[in-house]
Amino acid sequence: MMKGFILILTLALSGIAFCQSDTPDGSASLILPDYESALIETSAIFTTTSSGPASCGASSTDDVFYEFTAVNPGVEFVLNSGQFDGVLDLWDAGLTSLECINTAAGIGEEQMWFTQLVPGDTYYLRIHSADGVSGTGDFNLEYRSLPTRELAANYQTTSIDGDPFRIFDFLRLSLIHI
């Protein structure tokens, strides 16, 4: 009987530990996967409180935060929701916004490539709606790390946030999202 109680208590506490948060201090953790593979987090904004002012020209302040430790200099986030116009806002450990993306007009996909992370440092990803949430605010967040690649002399490159990437790698990652 006692073992059953301990098992249920352990499961309940572990479920709480992986829930999303509406404040940076209680953020759910993301573990960034390798460059070649992406993970998907499915969650919802629900009726969270505001943790910061609206950003990227948005008017709504409902938000959730995810905390992660950089393993490479780059990261890619792709946000999809059929219930709100999403905003991706990347913060450093000092809670300063490093990059804010709100490019889709209305409901649509938001994609962020950021290539100036310091491996080992803590960062926060803030997800909020641009103009309010309908329904529960369900969303999918796809994420992966983007390591800097050494470039051979014969590779053509493109620039993302000022850092060079091989055009082949950029096209391959772009085609994943078509």
Side-chain angles (χ1 to χ4, degrees):
M1 177 73 162
M2 186 63 159
K3 288 181 183 179
F5 175 74
I6 292 173
L7 177 62
I8 291 172
L9 181 61
T10 303
L11 289 173
L13 290 176
S14 65
I16 292 169
F18 292 105
C19 292
Q20 71 196 18
S21 171
D22 63 348
T23 60
D25 291 336
S27 299
S29 294
L30 295 177
I31 298 175
L32 296 178
D34 292 333
Y35 171 65
E36 297 297 331
S37 57
L39 293 178
I40 296 179
E41 173 77 17
T42 301
S43 197
I45 288 181
F46 295 117
T47 56
T48 59
T49 58
S50 170
S51 305
S55 53
C56 290
S59 59
S60 181
T61 58
D62 49 354
D63 56 19
V64 295
F65 283 86
Y66 290 95
E67 177 182 329
F68 67 95
T69 300
V71 294
N72 288 305
V75 66
E76 178 189 22
F77 293 106
V78 180
L79 175 68
N80 281 296
S81 176
Q83 298 182 346
F84 65 93
D85 177 9
V87 176
L88 291 171
D89 199 357
L90 180 64
W91 292 10
D92 64 14
L95 307 182
T96 301
S97 179
L98 302 173
E99 177 87 4
C100 193
I101 302 292
N102 183 17
T103 56
I107 293 175
E109 180 179 277
E110 296 292 348
Q111 183 176 11
M112 174 187 289
W113 288 48
F114 192 81
T115 59
Q116 299 167 6
L117 302 176
V118 176
D121 282 3
T122 299
Y123 296 90
Y124 297 96
L125 179 68
R126 179 183 183 212
I127 298 174
H128 76 92
S129 70
D131 54 6
V133 174
S134 65
T136 61
D138 293 336
F139 65 85
N140 290 327
L141 176 68
E142 181 180 332
Y143 55 98
R144 75 181 79 218
S145 61
L146 300 173
T148 300
R149 300 282 180 146
E150 293 299 321
L151 302 174
N154 60 342
Y155 276 104
Q156 297 295 317
T157 63
T158 187
S159 177
I160 302 169
D161 291 336
D163 292 337
F165 279 82
R166 296 183 300 183
I167 290 178
F168 175 77
D169 290 339
F170 177 75
L171 291 174
R172 189 180 68 199
L173 283 173
S174 297
L175 291 174
I176 291 172
H177 301 293
I178 294 180

